[in-house]
Amino acid sequence: MENDQRSITNYQLLPVTPIFLFLILAGLAVLKYLSLHSSFFDLGIFLGIFYKLFHFGEWEPIFRGHAQPLIPFYAAVYNILPKTFAPLAIIILQAFFLTLPGFWIFKRYGRLLFWLFALYFPLWFNALFDFHMDHLAVPLLFWFYFLVEDEQYKLAVLPAVLLALVKEPFALQTAACGVWLVIRGWWKSKNLNSKYQQIIIGLFLFLFGLSYFYLLVNYVFPILTGKKGYISTSAFSWMGSGLKEMIFFIFNHPLIVLKEIINPMKFLYLFFIFGPFLFVSALSPMELFPALPIILISLLSQNPNHYGYAHHYTAGLIAPVFMSFIKALPKTKEIASCCPIKKIRVSLSNTKQILSLVLLSSLLFHIMLSPSPISRLFWTNKVWNYGYEAYIPKARDRMIKDAIKKYIPSHPEVSVATQNTLNWGYITQRKHYFTFPVGVLEPFNLPLERTRRLLAKNISGLHLKNPEGPNSKLVYAKYLLI
């Protein structure tokens, strides 16, 4: 009778804490947007992309810079809601998807482990650092892990494939998920049917992830943009101009690569990622395998943002670090049993005491690093877009919005340029929306017609007299907001 009553009570309390987390994340994101503390990079960019896809049918931005085929899912919001509320719905949806694993964790593992998830500081930066498609990697990877845990290997293909469609670097994570399944099936599974399922599905995911990434980098990006996308940026160009050159460079110049990796800031980045869990995740390295591509990208990149703890590039690490911690908990007991100090041996032999210790560590990291209402960033108010004033809409913000609506026409053909720190949905809902000085001191080079004709030539094999069409169309901003 007591067990039944306890289970009913737990069921009734189940939604309370995860819903509270969602309300905080969504509420802060909305308030930040309303108080004009969101940015052109990258909420403004995405709002512009979503609007243009809905209003003008421009699909090219889906493959401009990154391959993000799930963009139409968010662009559909503009078809469902009034365009005034669409930006709010988009940032609320981001908060929902980031919180969704919390409901699953609460139900599977209980309140303490949910709190660990809720306190993990990368979750908060992914929710409050404007908007990025990367956030979808968090629920998709948790979904993949849980399906594998429940031995639903065929169904696990769905989140793993969707992960690759979030952004092309995550295709490498899809391939890593496949390798993890193969290793897991080969070494851990005693049931032959389960073993073969994991190996076959793992090989499929490995081949799909690598093939998708290879096709994008070597064919799709060069056709549409003339570049090789992610790997052609200055962050990785020090290794070469293509996949083959980079792979050869890594194997032929290991000391140079090692010198790049041995960077104090990159070690600090790893310390911040694993520190909240007291590095217990390292005791279960196999569950960390899907995180390897993101970690390697961060360590090999010369772009400080890629190994910065306060950016969205940590999205692909949240689930692997958390799940490896859960799987490593039994090993902490084994290690504790060998400890010669009795007090430590006794305290670490209890799972709840271990969790309490890790919870304290997570809380400290959360206060020091996160942008939450209990953090140092929030109350010191030293960072423009994370201090408490960033979430308080003021009369000045309302005056700015009224002035923008009064003096800038709402017609989508009217182009606007703005500084990075001034972003609002009203000015993103137009065909051309620039960040200063683009469109003001220099024109924006619009390659739209060229892109479409090049695609027609390369895919359909049409022999066009002038396949590239006009070289460019120069577009200037008609209004400047500073």
Side-chain angles (χ1 to χ4, degrees):
M1 187 69 178
E2 287 182 3
N3 290 336
D4 292 341
Q5 188 175 359
R6 188 182 299 115
S7 63
I8 291 172
T9 304
N10 288 338
Y11 176 79
Q12 290 173 342
L13 291 175
L14 173 63
V16 174
T17 309
I19 286 179
F20 185 61
L21 175 64
F22 165 68
L23 292 175
I24 293 176
L25 292 180
L28 289 175
V30 167
L31 289 172
K32 187 176 179 182
Y33 168 79
L34 293 176
S35 67
L36 298 182
H37 278 75
S38 64
S39 307
F40 178 93
F41 297 106
D42 287 337
L43 179 58
I45 290 176
F46 279 104
L47 291 181
I49 289 173
F50 299 151
Y51 179 79
K52 285 188 285 187
L53 181 59
F54 158 70
H55 197 275
F56 296 104
E58 291 190 13
W59 54 267
E60 289 92 342
I62 295 175
F63 295 98
R64 189 179 296 160
H66 289 291
Q68 302 174 97
L70 298 181
I71 277 178
F73 167 79
Y74 276 101
V77 172
Y78 279 92
N79 196 32
I80 298 170
L81 297 174
K83 60 183 183 180
T84 304
F85 298 105
L88 297 176
I90 285 165
I91 54 182
I92 289 171
L93 275 173
Q94 177 176 248
F96 169 75
F97 284 120
L98 285 169
T99 312
L100 186 59
F103 289 87
W104 303 334
I105 291 166
F106 198 112
K107 187 175 181 180
R108 280 175 172 264
Y109 306 119
R111 193 177 298 273
L112 279 178
L113 281 166
F114 166 76
W115 284 345
L116 285 177
F117 168 77
L119 286 172
Y120 197 33
F121 73 88
L123 180 75
W124 291 78
F125 280 112
N126 277 273
L128 299 178
F129 181 37
D130 284 347
F131 178 94
H132 303 87
M133 294 299 292
D134 302 51
H135 73 274
L136 291 173
V138 179
L140 288 173
L141 275 166
F142 271 111
W143 188 16
F144 172 76
Y145 274 107
F146 292 149
L147 288 173
V148 170
E149 196 175 72
D150 295 339
E151 299 185 356
Q152 298 185 47
Y153 306 118
K154 293 179 182 177
L155 192 55
V157 172
L158 178 59
V161 168
L162 287 174
L163 176 66
L165 304 183
V166 173
K167 202 162 75 174
E168 76 276 4
F170 295 114
L172 298 177
Q173 262 198 299
T174 297
C177 287
V179 174
W180 174 61
L181 263 185
V182 171
I183 297 173
R184 189 179 186 275
W186 185 265
W187 292 104
K188 281 197 169 185
S189 185
K190 296 179 181 179
N191 182 285
L192 282 179
N193 183 45
S194 175
K195 181 190 291 284
Y196 292 141
Q197 272 196 57
Q198 290 182 75
I199 292 174
I200 292 170
I201 291 172
L203 287 173
F204 167 76
L205 291 177
F206 173 72
L207 293 173
F208 172 81
L210 285 188
S211 301
Y212 179 70
F213 184 83
Y214 180 82
L215 288 172
L216 287 173
V217 168
N218 286 281
Y219 296 100
V220 177
F221 287 143
I223 290 172
L224 295 181
T225 66
K227 298 179 181 179
K228 293 190 176 183
Y230 194 65
I231 65 169
S232 66
T233 60
S234 59
F236 305 101
S237 58
W238 65 277
M239 293 183 290
S241 59
L243 279 176
K244 289 182 180 178
E245 287 185 21
M246 289 180 180
I247 292 171
F248 281 128
F249 184 90
I250 289 171
F251 283 102
N252 292 330
H253 303 87
L255 292 179
I256 298 177
V257 174
L258 186 63
K259 184 180 178 181
E260 177 62 36
I261 292 174
I262 302 175
N263 179 327
M265 296 307 297
K266 293 179 180 179
F267 278 107
L268 189 64
Y269 163 78
L270 293 176
F271 176 80
F272 287 158
I273 293 297
F274 292 98
F277 296 95
L278 290 178
F279 307 97
V280 172
S281 300
L283 298 177
S284 185
M286 199 166 79
E287 269 66 29
L288 278 174
F289 207 94
L292 279 182
I294 305 300
I295 292 175
L296 288 174
I297 286 172
S298 301
L299 295 180
L300 293 174
S301 173
Q302 291 188 340
N303 181 350
N305 291 341
H306 290 156
Y307 51 89
Y309 70 88
H311 294 86
H312 58 286
Y313 299 108
T314 56
L317 301 178
I318 294 174
V321 172
F322 186 87
M323 293 303 296
S324 60
F325 167 76
I326 290 175
K327 298 300 179 184
L329 276 175
K331 295 181 181 179
T332 59
K333 292 183 180 181
E334 294 177 13
I335 295 173
S337 63
C338 302
C339 182
I341 304 174
K342 186 177 179 181
K343 285 186 177 181
I344 297 177
R345 184 169 67 248
V346 172
S347 62
L348 294 182
S349 63
N350 186 302
T351 302
K352 281 191 175 181
Q353 290 186 358
I354 296 172
L355 286 176
S356 298
L357 187 62
V358 175
L359 192 62
L360 178 61
S361 171
S362 293
L363 179 61
L364 292 175
F365 273 88
H366 183 89
I367 292 170
M368 291 301 298
L369 302 178
S370 85
S372 87
I374 62 169
S375 71
R376 172 185 57 89
L377 281 177
F378 188 87
W379 290 108
T380 54
N381 206 40
K382 290 182 179 179
V383 181
W384 170 80
N385 55 343
Y386 290 125
Y388 63 86
E389 289 187 355
Y391 307 99
I392 305 175
K394 299 179 179 67
R396 178 178 178 272
D397 304 322
R398 187 166 56 252
M399 289 171 60
I400 292 173
K401 294 176 189 177
D402 290 341
I404 290 173
K405 293 181 74 173
K406 181 179 179 180
Y407 294 107
I408 299 180
S410 62
H411 197 284
E413 294 289 344
V414 176
S415 56
V416 174
T418 177
Q419 60 182 324
N420 178 49
T421 53
L422 181 55
N423 175 66
W424 186 36
Y426 179 84
I427 54 178
T428 66
Q429 294 162 5
R430 50 200 71 242
K431 194 168 187 178
H432 305 301
Y433 172 44
F434 312 124
T435 179
F436 181 82
V438 176
V440 181
L441 300 181
E442 57 187 59
F444 176 69
N445 190 349
L446 185 67
L448 181 61
E449 182 64 22
R450 176 179 176 272
T451 299
R452 286 178 174 168
R453 293 173 71 84
L454 273 174
L455 188 66
K457 178 190 175 186
N458 282 276
I459 293 181
S460 63
L462 295 176
H463 297 287
L464 302 173
K465 293 182 180 178
N466 184 17
E468 294 195 2
N471 289 330
S472 63
K473 178 182 177 183
L474 301 181
V475 180
Y476 283 90
K478 294 182 179 179
Y479 291 87
L480 170 63
L481 296 171
I482 54 174

